[in-house]
Amino acid sequence: MKKIVICGIPMKENVDQVIYSSEDKSIPAANRPVRYPINAFLEETLKPSDEVKVVLLVKKDEYGHHEKNIGFFKAELDQANSKIGAEVNYSIIDTDFSQNKSVHENLMGNLVDEFNIGAHVIVDSTYGPKDLPIVIFTALNFAEKFLDCKIDNIIYGQASFVNGHAVDTKLCDMIPLYYLGSITNTIHCVEPEKAKSMLKTLLSI
């Protein structure tokens, strides 16, 4: 199966290696410490027949932490894949740490170029600046609508922090959040209060 994995790379220097648990059978997690939650998921779900393009979204920091973190991701996934044998290739999209409109547009355009028609897409939304999920969700919507892609999972590594270290870590799937936007697009109503009522009804289904 052709899969595209999208993951934001953190800019911070020290990213904890932790074991992620999962209460959802659809997003199993390997029982070993990882920096990137997606790798705990991929270790449990990749198949030898999978063709995987990993797209790493990098915001360049002036201290070079992003370069180390790219290496950590590759080493972590390669270790997981060593006992699976899937075909894994890497693509890196780097942009400046800036909120300029041109930066967002370039990231969006470059990300869309990475999608293969009909691919299954998995996202790790744990790391990255606040603009990244907005750009990713917009690109996913485009890929789903025009490129016949299937959005399988949007993984998020939830954690609490004690003395600066991640604790109580678990995997969450943010697919329901992604599809909230689609729900509002199904409402056709000119009366505000009726529209609110319709939205609440749809959310309760």
Side-chain angles (χ1 to χ4, degrees), residues 83-119:
K83 59 185 179 182
I84 300 170
E87 179 184 329
V88 177
N89 297 291
Y90 294 95
S91 180
I92 296 174
I93 300 176
D94 55 28
T95 53
D96 293 327
F97 183 41
S98 167
Q99 301 305 323
N100 289 335
K101 181 172 178 282
S102 62
V103 171
H104 297 150
E105 290 172 345
N106 287 336
L107 175 57
M108 175 70 178
N110 289 333
L111 181 54
V112 167
D113 283 343
E114 295 290 346
F115 288 109
N116 302 111
I117 295 174

Side-chain angles (χ1 to χ4, degrees), residues 23-80:
E23 300 170 356
D24 186 342
K25 291 182 179 179
S26 68
I27 48 171
N31 188 33
R32 72 178 179 96
V34 293
R35 289 182 172 87
Y36 297 90
I38 191 72
N39 286 333
F41 172 73
L42 293 174
E43 184 169 341
E44 294 295 303
T45 57
L46 281 185
K47 303 290 189 297
S49 58
D50 287 336
E51 299 175 29
V52 186
K53 179 195 290 187
V54 179
V55 182
L56 301 179
L57 306 182
V58 180
K59 291 290 186 179
K60 295 179 290 186
D61 69 90
E62 59 183 308
Y63 305 106
H65 301 323
H66 62 281
E67 295 178 359
K68 291 182 180 178
N69 290 330
I70 290 171
F72 287 141
F73 183 99
K74 289 182 177 181
E76 199 168 84
L77 179 53
D78 289 348
Q79 180 183 348

Side-chain angles (χ1 to χ4, degrees), residues 136-181:
I136 291 174
F137 276 30
T138 305
L140 293 180
N141 185 264
F142 180 90
E144 192 174 30
K145 186 174 182 179
F146 297 106
L147 304 178
D148 197 30
C149 289
K150 177 175 173 51
I151 315 305
D152 285 348
N153 302 96
I154 301 176
I155 301 295
Y156 173 72
Q158 179 179 305
S160 298
F161 289 88
V162 177
N163 297 324
H165 295 288
V167 298
D168 301 326
T169 49
K170 66 178 182 179
L171 293 190
C172 304
D173 195 345
M174 308 301 283
I175 279 283
L177 180 61
Y178 169 69
Y179 282 115
L180 277 179

